[in-house]
Amino acid sequence: MPEPSRLTPVAVMILATLREGDMHTYELVRLLKERRDDRLVPLQKGTIYHTVARLERDGLLAEVGVDRDGNRPERTTYTIREAGHRAVEEWVRAELPQIDRPSDFRVALSEAHNLDRAEVVDLLDARRALLLDSLDEHRAGLANAAERETPEQFLVELQRQSALLDAELAWQDSLRARLADRSLAWGIAEIPEHIKKKHRVSKETTP
């Protein structure tokens, strides 16, 4: 199985979607775009088809049938393999605590529900420590600049990043609290059945 870090965000999103049920590539493309997952990464049809083929070669998903509807081209249906399940979890586990790859973090966060609640809390705690270190560094830089009477016009980017880090910490602390006190439903098992049907969620993917 490929190293989790070598999986692209698109590959992770494809595998995570297949955790919900078997489907053909056309349905994958439609569902990912319907859910506006292209907010996170570019989702070109050709890239998705190429990635599905690579994931099959790597043993992370497998063909389970070929359908033909009238004169339409044949459509191959895929299922995720056990190695694919592990790959999603390991990639999210590796990327969720990071602060230096914002785009990958967004994908990891969107797929964090594939991990157990307690593990997500621990990973967010590890990320919080990195955020605090970065915030301290930015604040020290601003203080040093003030001592040197650096014109504020040269510091606006530093000020912005400090403000963003403050907001990120506040948001993450709120999320962690809701996970810890269980006020936030987490995992497929905690989603009401009528909501699962509405969003086409069909498999138990979280312990």
Side-chain angles (χ1 to χ4, degrees), residues 37-203:
D37 286 335
D38 53 354
R39 295 177 302 105
L40 306 176
V41 293
L43 292 174
Q44 303 298 327
K45 184 177 178 180
T47 300
I48 294 175
Y49 275 78
H50 174 78
T51 303
V52 166
R54 181 169 59 81
L55 291 171
E56 183 183 12
R57 289 197 304 270
D58 290 341
L60 302 183
L61 53 78
E63 294 184 13
V64 290
V66 178
D67 300 322
R68 180 185 289 277
D69 184 8
N71 293 326
R72 293 180 177 177
E74 291 183 346
R75 292 178 176 173
T76 303
T77 298
Y78 294 93
T79 190
I80 186 170
R81 304 181 70 175
E82 183 58 35
H85 284 286
R86 292 197 305 271
V88 171
E89 294 168 4
E90 290 173 11
W91 191 90
V92 173
R93 195 172 284 128
E95 295 299 330
L96 193 61
Q98 306 303 321
I99 67 170
D100 57 347
R101 294 186 290 275
S103 59
D104 286 1
F105 170 75
R106 292 182 68 196
V107 175
L109 184 63
S110 74
E111 301 300 345
H113 59 271
N114 289 290
L115 300 181
D116 178 79
R117 176 191 302 271
E119 183 173 14
V120 173
V121 169
D122 289 342
L123 292 170
L124 290 177
D125 284 346
R127 184 173 190 268
R128 188 179 196 277
L130 295 177
L131 286 170
L132 284 172
D133 286 345
S134 183
L135 181 58
D136 287 344
E137 181 180 342
H138 280 79
R139 285 175 174 169
L142 286 169
N144 184 45
E147 289 178 3
R148 292 187 288 111
E149 298 183 336
T150 302
E152 189 174 3
Q153 61 183 293
F154 300 136
L155 303 175
V156 290
E157 193 284 327
L158 197 59
Q159 292 170 340
R160 173 185 179 273
Q161 189 59 30
S162 181
L164 289 175
L165 286 166
D166 269 325
E168 182 81 1
L169 278 163
W171 167 82
Q172 182 169 299
D173 286 348
S174 175
L175 173 62
R176 186 204 185 282
R178 296 179 65 206
L179 284 166
D181 67 15
R182 307 188 74 85
S183 60
L184 174 62
W186 197 255
I188 303 303
E190 296 187 18
I191 300 176
E193 288 300 321
H194 72 284
I195 299 297
K196 288 182 185 179
K197 292 178 181 178
K198 181 178 180 180
H199 293 276
R200 303 187 183 122
V201 177
S202 60
K203 284 190 177 181

